[in-house]
Amino acid sequence: MYSYGWKAPAGGDEVVKSPYFYGMRWEDLKVYKNLSKEELKPAYKAFGRIIADNMSPFGFQPFGRKLVRLSNDIVQVIHVDTRGSWTGIDEYFETEISLEPVSDKSSFIRKSEPRPAKKMEEITKGIRNHYRITREYELLADYLTRHIRQSILPYFEQYDSSANVLRSLKDIKPNGQPFGYDGLILFCELQNKVNVHAAGILDSSISQIRNFNPQSEYLAELHLYREGLRANDWTAIDEKLSANRAEVLKKLKL
């Protein structure tokens, strides 16, 4: 049966629970036992709980399929994407990493997926783009936890505030392309009272949302920011950002 040991995270005094199967690690296994479709959901639930417990000493807490941690004015997100395909849950999953300004309600209040998201394999050497959950999921959770500690935590430490995100946009954006990063750039700039890209992003976003959903609450919010920039009214912008922050922190219980 499975037994549990304890070991300290690298560079810290905290302890983290780490599962072992007769002292073996997941990468040492040669044979894996498949799960039936009925077993997948409870296995994923237990799998996510192990990772959440392992990351708790580092300040992460569960929020749905996500693990979230507040760092200054950035919410750092680890997303174990177990949704599967349109046919339903399956045994393959991906792990995504995201940096989200705390004043952007998109993911946490409007319940969209993390954006922008990097695949874990973009940051961690040796990690595959997909993994399959099997009966050895406790060992797999330990394996992913070790790689998260080794590669993802240093990545998060590098981008621990919206100011640091703005300083490193070329490194954060894939191939230097801005697609999918508009929300990150917009709210990082607004949180730092910067208008380098913000006005252009707002004009583009307002045009798109007006055509798609002219009654959107988010459209009204974007208009507030656009008018605030035009009038150089940072007080109005800050008031809205502060209200968003309070709503997000309450939702995340941070």
Side-chain angles (χ1 to χ4, degrees):
M1 300 297 293
Y2 293 98
S3 61
Y4 289 86
W6 294 86
K7 60 183 177 181
D13 297 323
E14 303 94 336
V15 293
V16 58
K17 187 167 21 177
S18 181
Y20 293 90
F21 183 73
Y22 292 123
M24 293 188 67
R25 301 186 303 173
W26 182 84
E27 56 266 45
D28 297 327
L29 297 177
K30 304 299 181 184
V31 178
Y32 306 91
K33 296 180 180 179
N34 294 335
L35 293 166
S36 69
K37 192 158 189 176
E38 294 72 26
E39 293 173 308
L40 288 176
K41 188 172 182 179
Y44 272 133
K45 186 175 181 180
F47 173 75
R49 183 70 261 170
I50 293 170
I51 296 178
D53 287 346
N54 285 345
M55 296 308 299
S56 177
F58 299 94
F60 287 90
Q61 63 183 49
F63 180 73
R65 290 185 304 269
K66 307 168 187 175
L67 294 177
V68 298
R69 179 176 73 174
L70 180 66
S71 176
N72 297 303
D73 57 356
I74 288 287
V75 180
Q76 300 169 337
V77 181
I78 301 170
H79 177 217
V80 180
D81 188 356
T82 60
R83 289 171 297 170
S85 65
W86 63 272
T87 60
I89 191 171
D90 64 34
E91 66 267 31
Y92 290 96
F93 68 91
E94 296 180 312
T95 306
E96 300 175 325
I97 310 302
S98 183
L99 302 165
E100 306 191 30
V102 71
S103 61
D104 183 359
K105 300 194 296 184
S106 298
S107 289
F108 310 116
I109 306 300
R110 302 186 184 96
K111 298 183 179 179
S112 65
E113 294 308 316
R115 61 174 192 176
K118 277 184 177 288
K119 304 299 184 185
M120 186 171 173
E121 62 269 18
E122 295 181 56
I123 304 170
T124 307
K125 293 182 179 179
I127 285 285
R128 298 200 303 267
N129 58 343
H130 287 82
Y131 279 96
R132 180 165 61 97
I133 192 166
T134 64
R135 293 190 186 279
E136 299 78 17
Y137 63 82
E138 296 185 53
L139 297 180
L140 179 56
D142 172 68
Y143 172 77
L144 288 178
T145 299
R146 283 185 274 121
H147 279 285
I148 290 170
R149 293 205 316 258
Q150 292 165 10
S151 299
I152 303 306
L153 289 184
Y155 176 84
F156 281 151
E157 292 302 322
Q158 190 174 358
Y159 307 114
D160 62 350
S161 69
S162 61
N164 282 338
V165 168
L166 291 177
R167 292 188 190 102
S168 307
L169 278 180
K170 290 183 179 179
D171 298 327
I172 293 175
K173 292 185 294 184
N175 301 319
Q177 299 300 317
F179 179 76
Y181 283 70
D182 288 353
L184 175 67
I185 297 170
L186 172 62
F187 282 93
C188 282
E189 287 200 355
L190 294 179
Q191 288 178 177
N192 287 275
K193 295 182 172 59
V194 172
N195 182 15
V196 176
H197 306 287
I201 292 172
L202 286 166
D203 287 341
S204 176
S205 298
I206 288 170
S207 177
Q208 292 176 19
I209 297 175
R210 183 189 293 124
N211 293 331
F212 176 70
N213 185 6
Q215 303 303 317
S216 168
E217 176 189 347
Y218 190 45
L219 181 60
E221 179 177 339
L222 296 182
H223 274 297
L224 183 152
Y225 298 140
R226 191 66 187 93
E227 292 306 312
L229 291 180
R230 285 174 176 161
N232 198 31
D233 185 359
W234 285 103
T235 299
I237 293 174
D238 285 345
E239 286 176 355
K240 179 56 179 171
L241 295 178
S242 296
N244 282 3
R245 176 188 175 96
E247 194 173 347
V248 167
L249 294 180
K250 181 179 179 180
K251 184 72 172 180
L252 297 181
K253 299 180 181 179
L254 292 174

